Amino acid sequence: MDNYLDSEALGLLDAYWRAANYLSVGQIYLYDNPLLKRPLIPSDIKRRLLGHWGTTPGQNFIYAHLNRVIKKDDLNMIYVSGPGHGGPAVVANTYLEGTYSEVYPNISQDEDGLRKLFRQFSFPGGIPSHVSPETPGSIHEGGELGYSLSHSFGAVFDNPELIVACVIGDGEAETGPLATAWHSNKFLSPATDGAVLPILHLNGYKIANPTVLARIPRDELDQLFRGYGWSPLYVEGHEPEHMHPAMAAALDTALAQIKQIQQGARSGNGAFERPRWPMIVLISPKGWTGPKVVEGVAIEGTFRAHQVPLTDPARNPEHLALLETWLKSYRPDELFDASGRLKPELAALAPTGELRMGASPHANGGKLLKELNLPNYRDYAEAVSTPGIRGIGDTRVLGPFLRDVARLNQAQRNFRVFGPDETLSNGLGALLEATPRQWDATIIPGDVGLAPEGRVLDSMLSEHQCEGWLEGYLLTGRHGLFNCYEAFIHIIDSMFNQHAKWLKVTSHLPWRAPIASLNYLLSSHVWRQDHNGFTHQDPGFLDVVLNKKAEVVRVYLPPDANCLLSVMDHCLRSRHYVNVVVAGKHPSPQWLAMDAAEKHCTEGIGIWQWASNDQNSEPDVVMACCGDVPTLETLAAVALMREHLPSLKIRVVNIVDLMRLQPQREHPHGLSDTDFDALFTKDKPIIFAFHGYPWLIHRLTYRRTNHDNLHVRGYKEEGTITTAFDMTVLNDMDRFHLAMDTIDRLPQTGEAGTTLKELLIGKLLAHKKYIYQFGEDMPEIRNWQWNFPQ
């Protein structure tokens, strides 16, 4: 123990901890009388108790000790609270350090401010019980467990001076994402990244059961973390006079080890060996310093301490007396002056300025955000001399653009691409021409594209980690892209939900600066999973995304490579959205030259006049399409009908921005009813080929004038090991079904329509026979080209 921690220093540290505990209990229970100047009465007490107490004193203990080392060593550090509903602790500590009152001046540092602080907590019109976006210093909400360690690593990538203290609850440690996140230490460069200090808070219980890690032998626990590659330090006990020096010593040791690791890696001697980073295991009682027994039942050190130990103090005189005793146990008269302000000698223990964890700009990443240096996407365009020429695969055209984004931003180190071992598979291999994949585990001869530093993080087969890393990276002020197989992006549905909620809340907090958008590129999509079969076929992430608020979500389905380039440039420039882009990787027709693609993507929806023949007249039918394969099949159906039914007036409408279908009053990208009717008419049949589930289009358009005439074909859970075209046939979205759908709704086609329909039925029979015999699609399908002049 260094001489900084003499008995006086330890006493002040303990007093600061008691002040945080007092404020935490006050938030959970009190309206009024924060300093106990008179006995508690029922009107002082909240009748709506939704706080959680079990992890709070441990988090207050950790926060106080982190303040000590930040101040001692001038550290840049932020605090990630993993245990669920940890709000009382972080709110209390940011209030004590002064940040909370700076962000919310009405919550002043006096008795009136304390009343407001207490009243607002977990109360209508107030703040949640978890570490929500409203909490200064937070990048991690904690409402849903499992992501704290992933977020922490994302925060320190390319942040060499930052340390994230990540407090992990032992209940949270049982979740799949968190259990996997321990491996993140194999992807951290001590030379160019910051450091994560995990603090596993082992207090023994979750809501109603013991925790696994608390009930295995100590040697097994130690072997587990050493097997993960960590060097654990243990702090155990319940007596403050023992726990304070033990925690101080553990923190000093851990930070000295981090400094040694980083200095060694940054010395420039060229040698590299993956380090064993330190972590701390804090073992303290559940509900530490709270009531030990209530009505003859043990509370502290049991699962009963998880939520509120005293369930009815407003109506139960015995509970009221216990609450007053509990509050007085922290001796608030020693902590606050007569005006309700924390005494100066205690306030001086907190860091100052931006070194306060609640005031760190790293926890308000929009303040640090720098514009990406982006190449001119037009320079990567496919040459499209005529609609329908063969392309190499849309994402393979995008790859060189992303490669050069990585190159142009190498110096400022603020762009990364994440993906669960799928960057090459998704057609983005050009990225590896500019940057390796970051990988700090062993590299052996024959490995390709692995290095201790790189702009690509895709060497871990975990969608959870990629999502969590990217979220942490964005929340601390950088830019990125997540590429994934479309069907398996569902693994992070709930993580997307939480991030979208974060964006929605922070968009209404003026002190939170907007961050870069979360960009998803979904490839290897449903219509080209013929060789993988049914398990790989699911476009339903779009349905999940559209459940979120219109102000934060965007969905794009570019029909070709030039549209994809335009869309991705827009997404990388955007702020505070979730952008979902769906694009194919297989060779496919290219429809628009770059000028036309740029105009089409800017508008988001439009009539393709070159494919239509209704110019200067009302159409008989509108053929709408959204997505690359639906566009191909729609145009092939249009070609069939224009050849066999030349008098039919057909309008082709292509949709890039899915939100254009919604009414303007429901989404900022939505079309007005007048503009929608101008495209789709008020009374003509609309045959709509859609990339995803058909009912999503009905959901977006059900209020439109012509909705009753809208007939949508899309994926309907039919798939197997088959050919690419047969996938569309199985789901009735192929060119033959689309043409027959049109004929069925246009009696004016008469005998010619009947004849064409019979021909198309024959084509479907011939198709099945052919693929079962030869294992590939018929030549007229494989070699089909658009052949009508513009």
Side-chain angles (χ1 to χ4, degrees):
M1 192 190 317
D2 61 39
N3 57 15
Y4 179 84
L5 289 175
D6 55 23
S7 59
E8 181 182 359
L10 286 171
L12 289 171
L13 197 60
D14 184 69
Y16 195 94
W17 176 46
R18 286 187 280 117
N21 285 338
Y22 177 82
L23 296 186
S24 298
V25 178
Q27 290 175 74
I28 295 171
Y29 284 97
L30 298 184
Y31 284 127
D32 198 2
N33 201 7
L35 296 175
L36 296 176
K37 293 176 181 175
R38 56 181 173 79
L40 284 175
I41 57 176
S43 62
D44 295 337
I45 311 302
K46 292 179 180 177
R47 295 175 184 271
R48 186 174 183 270
L49 302 177
L50 292 177
H52 286 62
W53 172 247
T55 67
T56 300
Q59 292 206 66
N60 287 332
F61 181 80
I62 293 166
Y63 205 105
H65 278 269
L66 292 173
N67 278 345
R68 179 189 73 85
V69 294
I70 291 168
K71 189 167 183 181
K72 179 167 73 79
D73 297 329
D74 287 333
L75 300 176
N76 282 308
M77 181 179 284
I78 62 173
Y79 183 95
V80 169
S81 173
H85 301 277
V90 183
V91 170
N93 280 282
T94 54
Y95 178 82
L96 289 175
E97 71 187 21
T99 308
Y100 205 91
S101 297
E102 291 172 12
V103 173
Y104 303 108
N106 63 311
I107 310 293
S108 50
Q109 291 193 306
D110 52 26
E111 187 167 338
D112 182 61
L114 281 177
R115 287 194 181 92
K116 292 176 181 176
L117 184 80
F118 293 170
R119 186 179 186 90
Q120 71 173 359
F121 179 79
S122 198
F123 196 76
I127 62 173
S129 62
H130 42 266
V131 187
S132 63
E134 294 93 337
T135 308
S138 172
I139 66 164
H140 174 85
E141 186 148 0
E144 180 173 283
L145 302 183
Y147 315 131
S148 59
L149 196 52
S150 307
H151 285 158
S152 299
F153 273 92
V156 301
F157 289 138
D158 297 322
N159 249 342
E161 304 307 316
L162 182 66
I163 299 174
V164 177
C166 179
V167 182
I168 300 160
D170 49 355
E172 182 192 19
E174 297 175 6
T175 64
L178 197 291
T180 310
W182 296 110
H183 285 302
S184 296
N185 57 11
K186 285 81 172 175
F187 300 87
L188 190 71
S189 167
T192 58
D193 298 330
V196 176
L197 177 60
I199 303 173
L200 175 63
H201 188 196
L202 207 68
N203 62 16
Y205 294 91
K206 37 194 184 275
I207 295 175
N209 283 285
T211 58
V212 172
L213 296 183
R215 294 296 180 91
I216 61 176
R218 175 64 58 81
D219 63 338
E220 186 178 341
L221 181 72
D222 194 69
Q223 290 168 12
L224 174 69
F225 288 111
R226 293 188 183 279
Y228 274 130
W230 297 91
S231 292
L233 302 162
Y234 294 89
V235 177
E236 181 174 9
H238 65 277
E239 307 93 344
E241 63 271 17
H242 164 72
M243 293 291 279
H244 284 300
M247 187 65 176
L251 270 176
D252 286 343
T253 300
L255 291 168
Q257 291 176 0
I258 288 172
K259 185 176 182 180
Q260 182 180 19
I261 290 168
Q262 291 179 335
Q263 286 181 340
R266 298 170 188 180
S267 63
N269 59 18
F272 178 79
E273 182 177 342
R274 179 169 63 88
R276 282 186 170 272
W277 296 93
M279 64 172 291
I280 293 173
V281 181
L282 172 64
I283 305 171
S284 66
K286 187 84 165 180
W288 192 17
T289 75
K292 296 185 184 302
V293 178
V294 176
E295 296 180 357
V297 177
I299 301 297
E300 185 185 81
T302 76
F303 71 89
R304 298 179 187 89
H306 179 82
Q307 296 190 22
V308 285
L310 303 171
T311 56
D312 196 17
R315 299 178 180 86
N316 185 321
E318 182 182 347
H319 284 200
L320 184 65
L322 285 171
L323 175 59
E324 184 162 353
T325 300
W326 181 8
L327 285 162
K328 286 181 175 177
S329 73
Y330 298 121
R331 306 195 297 280
D333 55 308
E334 299 175 8
L335 310 175
F336 301 91
D337 64 20
S339 69
R341 184 180 296 271
L342 187 68
K343 289 189 174 180
E345 63 270 25
L346 298 182
L349 297 181
T352 59
E354 291 185 347
L355 292 185
R356 294 172 296 173
M357 289 187 285
S360 172
H362 296 286
N364 192 356
K367 288 187 171 183
L368 301 177
L369 189 63
K370 296 178 181 178
E371 295 290 332
L372 278 178
N373 296 317
L374 292 177
N376 187 343
Y377 67 91
R378 298 172 64 92
D379 294 341
Y380 304 84
E382 284 268 74
V384 181
S385 56
T386 184
I389 68 168
R390 195 73 164 168
I392 61 172
D394 297 351
T395 60
R396 300 180 197 282
V397 175
L398 178 67
F401 171 75
L402 293 176
R403 172 199 65 202
D404 292 345
V405 175
R407 280 178 176 160
L408 288 172
N409 294 279
Q410 178 64 39
Q412 62 184 25
R413 304 186 66 83
N414 67 338
F415 175 75
R416 292 203 184 212
V417 175
F418 300 79
D421 192 29
E422 292 166 359
T423 302
L424 283 177
S425 179
N426 283 329
L428 304 179
L431 270 163
L432 300 185
E433 299 169 15
T435 175
R437 305 177 179 96
Q438 186 154 314
W439 170 268
D440 291 349
T442 302
I443 299 173
I444 64 174
D447 286 340
V448 176
L450 299 178
E453 298 174 33
R455 301 288 87 205
V456 175
L457 277 165
D458 81 332
S459 301
M460 190 172 188
L461 189 53
S462 170
E463 287 83 357
H464 286 121
Q465 301 319 309
C466 295
E467 174 76 13
W469 291 343
L470 176 54
E471 289 179 3
Y473 199 65
L474 299 175
L475 288 161
T476 48
R478 280 73 60 75
H479 306 257
L481 173 70
F482 184 0
N483 78 100
C484 186
Y485 281 15
E486 181 184 52
F488 303 135
I489 195 67
H490 274 300
I491 292 170
I492 56 85
D493 277 1
S494 195
M495 296 182 77
F496 151 75
N497 283 339
Q498 297 300 318
H499 189 77
K501 290 174 183 293
W502 180 280
L503 294 178
K504 192 264 184 185
V505 173
T506 54
S507 66
H508 299 285
L509 295 174
W511 60 273
R512 288 270 188 190
I515 62 172
S517 296
L518 171 55
N519 299 309
Y520 294 102
L521 175 62
L522 306 185
S523 192
S524 300
H525 63 56
V526 58
W527 299 108
R528 290 294 181 261
Q529 286 297 331
D530 36 283
H531 65 292
N532 282 322
F534 198 39
T535 58
H536 285 54
Q537 298 160 4
D538 192 325
F541 187 64
L542 303 184
D543 300 69
V544 175
V545 169
L546 289 184
N547 287 333
K548 298 300 118 185
K549 294 295 288 187
E551 63 198 84
V552 298
V553 293
R554 306 287 186 266
V555 177
Y556 302 98
L557 294 103
D560 66 5
N562 287 340
C563 289
L564 175 59
L565 287 166
S566 177
V567 162
M568 191 55 68
D569 178 82
H570 168 76
C571 291
L572 291 176
R573 295 178 188 275
S574 69
R575 297 289 179 270
H576 227 69
Y577 298 143
V578 175
N579 296 310
V580 181
V581 182
V582 183
K585 64 182 182 182
H586 294 288
S588 59
Q590 302 300 300
W591 307 108
L592 302 179
M594 180 50 80
D595 285 346
E598 187 175 65
K599 181 176 184 294
H600 183 49
C601 292
T602 301
E603 294 175 350
I605 188 172
I607 299 171
W608 280 5
Q609 297 288 359
W610 56 267
S612 307
N613 68 345
D614 68 325
Q615 291 82 358
N616 302 315
S617 63
E618 269 290 283
D620 296 310
V621 63
V622 176
M623 303 294 291
C625 46
C626 184
D628 55 357
V629 171
T631 298
L632 166 60
E633 293 306 310
T634 294
L635 291 174
V638 169
L640 281 167
M641 291 186 290
R642 287 184 62 177
E643 177 184 355
H644 292 274
L645 304 171
S647 64
L648 198 63
K649 298 296 183 183
I650 302 172
R651 176 180 295 175
V652 177
V653 175
N654 184 266
I655 298 93
V656 177
D657 180 351
L658 191 62
M659 303 316 198
R660 298 292 273 163
L661 298 176
Q662 284 190 282
Q664 199 172 41
R665 59 187 174 276
E666 294 178 8
H667 195 282
H669 287 196
L671 289 174
S672 68
D673 287 336
T674 300
D675 289 340
F676 189 92
D677 292 344
L679 289 174
F680 292 99
T681 78
K682 291 185 176 181
D683 56 2
K684 298 298 188 292
I686 306 165
I687 309 300
F688 197 128
F690 178 51
H691 175 87
Y693 291 105
W695 40 87
L696 181 57
I697 299 300
H698 288 291
R699 171 182 160 191
L700 295 174
T701 60
Y702 76 97
R703 292 181 178 177
R704 298 297 193 178
T705 304
N706 200 21
H707 179 258
D708 288 347
N709 277 323
L710 177 63
H711 311 284
V712 187
R713 294 295 187 181
Y715 184 67
K716 57 179 187 179
E717 286 294 306
E718 293 293 340
T720 183
I721 302 298
T722 186
T723 68
F725 179 68
D726 194 50
M727 267 298 299
T728 64
V729 173
L730 290 170
N731 290 278
D732 298 337
M733 200 197 69
D734 61 283
R735 60 199 68 180
F736 303 140
H737 277 100
L738 294 175
M740 289 190 293
D741 280 350
T742 306
I743 294 166
D744 287 343
R745 289 168 176 83
L746 294 174
Q748 64 265 42
T749 59
E751 186 63 31
T754 302
T755 300
L756 177 56
K757 186 173 179 180
E758 290 175 355
L759 173 66
L760 299 179
I761 292 171
K763 290 286 188 184
L764 286 169
L765 294 173
H767 153 73
K768 285 293 184 185
K769 182 178 180 181
Y770 189 92
I771 64 170
Y772 290 160
Q773 182 176 357
F774 296 104
E776 62 179 1
D777 288 318
M778 297 186 295
E780 67 181 87
I781 301 296
R782 287 184 280 122
N783 303 324
W784 179 85
Q785 287 187 310
W786 177 262
N787 56 9
F788 288 87
Q790 295 191 48

